[in-house]
Amino acid sequence: MCKLGVSMARVLLVDDDPSIHEVLGAYLRQEGHEVVEARDGAEALARLGAADLLILDLMLPKVGGLEVAREARRDYPDLPVLMLTAKGEEEERIEGLDLGADDYVTKPFSPREVVARVRALLRRRGLRDELAFGALTLKPAERVALLNGAPLPLSRLEFDLLLTLAQHPGLVWSRARLLERVWGGDFPGVDRVVDVHIAGLRRKLGEDSDNPRYIETVRGVGYRFREE
């Protein structure tokens, strides 16, 4: 059983207005979040897999915001979506909510309000300060993993990989999706790199690969964090 102890998130901010990125991005970073930026819909679609939360302007070049919202809900059904809309976009706003967007803010907006809504969406999603699975405890904000109370000597990528799996117990992650989510812009494009990092994680966790306590191999697909 995982005990949940709200934590910092990777926020994908999608808007073609540089001032939005500058001002809102600064507020989000001050809150402790990592901000991934996209300036058009095509760029947003390419980076969806790296996000814990999506802030999405509806009026975008190349691929419209509604199409981004549609694909986000189809491919990442648990991803919280906060829409940025203009005053005259009532129909688009309704359509976005019908597509599964979680909330919206009308431009011009207060950055503090947006940050508060992000906080509320993450709280609802369950991105927490601490995750505990028996002897294993993860503290995302501090980037610390403890096993039986002792810190684990994890690399940055090992910690991100373990946290990604542990935040979604029982969910099967393909190697390609783990590469996209964990490696992001440093995407190596080789599935084998995931296997190597999983093997390193298992050694540090003292795992029996034939009967793992935490990280289970799903043959032909990828990996999942085991639920008790």
Side-chain angles (χ1 to χ4, degrees), residues 48-51 72 75-79 125 161 164 168 171-184 187 191 194 221:
L48 282 175
D75 295 338
Y76 305 97
D78 295 328
L79 180 68
R125 179 179 183 261
L161 184 57
T164 296
H168 307 278
L171 179 65
V172 178
W173 290 75
S174 69
R175 291 171 177 83
R177 191 175 175 196
L178 284 170
L179 282 169
E180 180 184 17
R181 176 67 179 85
V182 176
W183 276 260
F187 183 76
D191 287 356
V194 177
V221 184

Side-chain angles (χ1 to χ4, degrees), residues 26 29 32 46 55 79 83 90 106 117 135 144-145 171 174 198 202 218:
R29 292 184 181 97
I55 298 179
L79 180 68
M83 295 185 299
E90 182 177 356
T106 303
R117 291 184 183 232
V144 169
L171 179 65
S174 69
I198 290 289
R202 283 174 167 163
V218 180

Side-chain angles (χ1 to χ4, degrees), residues 49 65 67 77 92 118 125 133 150 224:
E67 181 59 27
E92 290 85 353
V118 165
R125 179 179 183 261
F133 304 87
R224 67 178 162 207

Side-chain angles (χ1 to χ4, degrees), residues 186-198:
D186 299 322
F187 183 76
V190 181
D191 287 356
R192 179 63 182 159
V193 76
V194 177
D195 298 332
V196 170
H197 280 77
I198 290 289

Side-chain angles (χ1 to χ4, degrees), residues 4-24:
L4 298 173
V6 171
S7 173
M8 304 310 106
R10 188 177 296 172
V11 178
L12 176 56
L13 176 57
V14 187
D15 200 295
D16 60 346
D17 184 343
S19 66
I20 297 290
H21 286 275
E22 181 179 358
V23 176
L24 184 53

